[in-house]
Amino acid sequence: MQKQPTEVLLVEVVMVVNYMMLVRQIKFMAFSGLTLVSLNVFATPDIQTWQTETGAKVLFVPANDIPMLDIRIAFDAGSARDADLSGVAVLTNGLLSEGAAGKSSQKVAEGFESVGANLSYEASRDMAIVGVRSLTESRYLSAAISNLAEVLTQPDFPEQAFQRELNRMKVSVKARQQSPAALAGEAFNRAVFGDHPYALPSAGTDESLKKITLQDVRDFYKQYYVAKNATVAIVGDVDRVQAEEIVKAVLSGLATGVKPESLPPVKPLTQAKKVVIDYPSAQTHIFVGQPGTWRGDADYFALYVANHPFGGSGFASRLVEVIREERGLAYSVYSYFSPLRQAGAFTMGMQTKTEQTQQALTLLQEQLQKYVTEGPEEEELEASLSNITGSFPLKLDSNSKLLGYISMIGFYDLPIDYLDNFIDNVKAIDVDTINDALKRRIDPDRLVTVVVGKQ
């Protein structure tokens, strides 16, 4: 079994592509010509959707190129639902495969491995997922789907596995306390999100992990792993009738349940905040930002495109050019938006030598102020639009990537034609649109600044 990360697909951070080499070596028009050729042969997938009798949402894309099927069930059961038990969502999700339908974890694993299937599971801030990849030949697929149904609908949550995983999470908390990057990230989230559920670490804290009981895990599962709280994504070499049967087979053992109440909005910052943590590290870790955008935000595409030339395009970004190339203050410097159900963070980050901390921090803030005031240059925007639209087909060039996108569309209630219109929505963004969005949505005078390093 293998956990498969989904964060890059749920967050949709602008792909960090070091295309500066291309910009330097190839004339812009030639690069644009290549982009146009690639787009002419690109077609977005046909997404079919329906709702089960028990209330689960299903999105299906037939893909007949290879005899494989990918299925992912996403629940609104991420760490934002932890309440005062930070870590319970991650713990619950991780225990699903540790014993199901009376089978030990070893038997569960062998059940998938014997038919070449790959079980995946993960919990992030907004969602918890369970899924499988399998060959579509009947003798393999039927066994994989049966095993997935058992893991999803009949978890045993054995005491021994609970204690082992809980102890592992406690060790992980201690390890994070020894990592300046982790300390900075956690402090940043607390300062940006305040009393919102997004503020706490998904993997728990010392205090919360001491309180979690096995009954808490069972109660969490019972409340959130229900049909009305499920979004099912299927991509693979099956037809609609087969897809419907697969969904019934996987979800039939789930209670109907109810959808949880909506998460509260993230409150905007009312003033600047600075957090300084003394830590004996070789370099100082810096995070600067504030609440940003969310899935379905009307300003999403403007902010998405705006970030690309600023700090989201690797070596071609302004931040890298100014802070790394011109001043030599950091090896890596970046910015990104993390859209979630509610407003995720806009984050700028870097590591620098301790004696250069204030210089690097001042320059970072100056660059943001300048960008919000003036926006990108036309040439920067043209290059970014070409890069984003030209690389977009690569984000859908495998079943697993496509699965992540349609799961995101369903979970966040995005338009079913989101992928069809993605390129047009990006190309519609101009300098005026970016300038308007930046001035309304980014306030350089109300930033969270976190500095972790030797003081």
Side-chain angles (χ1 to χ4, degrees):
M1 294 181 290
Q2 177 182 340
K3 292 188 179 182
Q4 296 180 351
T6 62
E7 196 65 22
V8 67
L9 293 173
L10 303 178
V11 177
E12 197 175 307
V13 174
V14 175
M15 184 183 292
V16 179
V17 180
N18 294 339
Y19 72 100
M20 190 173 187
M21 302 301 179
L22 292 176
V23 176
R24 289 174 173 173
Q25 296 176 22
I26 305 175
K27 290 184 178 181
F28 177 75
M29 289 303 295
F31 179 74
S32 298
L34 290 173
T35 298
L36 292 173
V37 170
S38 66
L39 293 181
N40 286 338
V41 298
F42 174 67
T44 53
D46 174 29
I47 304 175
Q48 303 176 34
T49 183
W50 66 92
Q51 191 172 46
T52 69
E53 293 180 357
T54 53
K57 181 190 297 186
V58 184
L59 293 89
F60 166 57
V61 174
N64 309 120
D65 293 337
I66 56 174
M68 299 289 294
L69 178 132
D70 289 272
I71 179 170
R72 173 180 295 172
I73 305 96
F75 297 90
D76 187 344
S79 62
R81 300 298 179 182
D82 281 347
D84 62 342
L85 293 175
S86 176
V88 71
V90 169
L91 184 55
T92 302
N93 182 264
L95 286 172
L96 292 176
S97 64
E98 291 296 327
K103 299 176 182 177
S104 67
S105 59
Q106 181 176 345
K107 288 295 183 183
V108 170
E110 289 174 352
F112 288 100
E113 292 168 359
S114 65
V115 292
N118 180 22
L119 176 69
S120 58
Y121 50 92
E122 185 178 359
S124 55
R125 278 204 181 103
D126 277 343
M127 69 174 72
I129 65 165
V130 184
V132 74
R133 160 168 276 204
S134 171
L135 294 166
T136 51
E137 187 176 339
S138 177
R139 57 177 172 155
Y140 301 124
L141 181 59
S142 60
I145 295 303
S146 176
N147 292 334
L148 176 62
E150 289 180 348
V151 166
L152 183 62
T153 68
Q154 302 179 62
D156 293 330
F157 298 121
E159 174 73 32
Q160 186 176 4
F162 166 75
Q163 292 296 341
R164 183 181 66 249
E165 289 302 301
L166 184 62
N167 289 334
R168 183 189 60 78
M169 291 176 70
K170 290 178 180 178
V171 171
S172 177
V173 168
K174 294 187 182 301
R176 298 202 309 270
Q177 292 170 351
Q178 303 301 315
S179 165
L183 288 173
E186 291 184 11
F188 179 75
N189 287 333
R190 286 194 299 270
V192 168
F193 296 117
D195 60 359
H196 194 275
Y198 289 160
L200 295 176
S202 298
T205 65
D206 273 333
E207 295 76 16
S208 66
L209 295 179
K210 290 175 182 177
K211 294 190 295 184
I212 295 176
T213 67
L214 182 54
Q215 189 59 49
D216 293 325
V217 169
R218 289 173 173 154
D219 290 344
F220 189 91
Y221 170 83
K222 184 177 180 181
Q223 179 176 357
Y224 293 109
Y225 284 75
V226 294
K228 284 191 174 180
N229 196 31
T231 299
V232 184
I234 305 176
V235 176
D237 188 20
V238 294
D239 59 28
R240 171 66 176 265
V241 173
Q242 290 173 299
E244 291 183 2
E245 291 301 317
I246 288 169
V247 173
K248 289 179 182 178
V250 172
L251 301 187
S252 61
L254 284 182
T256 300
V258 296
K259 288 183 68 67
E261 294 182 1
S262 298
L263 293 171
V266 173
K267 298 175 184 176
L269 298 176
T270 57
Q271 61 184 10
K273 300 179 183 180
K274 188 169 185 179
V275 180
V276 178
I277 300 175
D278 187 13
Y279 190 90
S281 55
Q283 287 198 319
T284 296
H285 293 252
I286 297 172
F287 285 129
V288 179
Q290 58 191 200
T293 184
W294 58 88
R295 294 292 179 190
D297 183 356
D299 286 322
Y300 170 74
F301 280 98
L303 297 173
Y304 172 85
V305 174
N307 181 67
H308 195 272
F310 178 66
S313 56
F315 288 116
S317 72
R318 278 196 187 189
L319 291 183
V320 170
E321 183 68 24
V322 173
I323 294 177
R324 171 183 160 146
E325 300 295 333
E326 293 180 4
R327 304 294 181 87
L329 295 175
Y331 177 78
S332 173
V333 57
Y334 52 85
S335 66
Y336 58 87
F337 286 93
S338 301
L340 296 166
R341 179 81 77 184
Q342 299 296 336
F346 165 64
T347 307
M348 299 182 291
M350 62 178 168
Q351 296 85 49
T352 189
K353 293 179 181 178
T354 300
E355 62 271 19
Q356 298 175 335
T357 299
Q358 190 54 53
Q359 183 183 1
L361 187 55
T362 298
L363 191 57
L364 182 69
Q365 293 168 332
E366 287 175 352
Q367 287 301 307
L368 179 64
Q369 179 68 69
K370 180 180 180 181
Y371 197 68
V372 170
T373 301
E374 302 175 359
E377 297 177 358
E378 287 287 355
E379 183 177 330
E380 287 180 303
L381 179 58
E382 288 177 359
S384 290
L385 292 177
S386 291
N387 180 255
I388 293 171
T389 56
S391 65
F392 180 66
L394 299 178
K395 297 182 180 182
L396 303 176
D397 65 356
S398 70
N399 286 6
S400 59
K401 292 180 184 178
L402 180 56
L403 182 78
Y405 267 101
I406 68 169
S407 179
M408 178 194 74
I409 289 169
F411 184 85
Y412 289 110
D413 298 314
L414 299 178
I416 203 68
D417 59 358
Y418 177 86
L419 297 177
D420 297 327
N421 296 327
F422 182 90
I423 290 176
D424 287 341
N425 284 331
V426 168
K427 293 169 71 174
I429 302 302
D430 56 23
V431 171
D432 289 340
T433 305
I434 288 175
N435 288 345
D436 174 64
L438 288 175
K439 287 180 172 62
R440 286 185 294 101
R441 301 298 296 276
I442 301 297
D443 188 344
D445 296 324
R446 296 180 182 180
L447 293 171
V448 164
T449 301
V450 175
V451 177
V452 177
K454 190 175 182 180
Q455 302 303 311

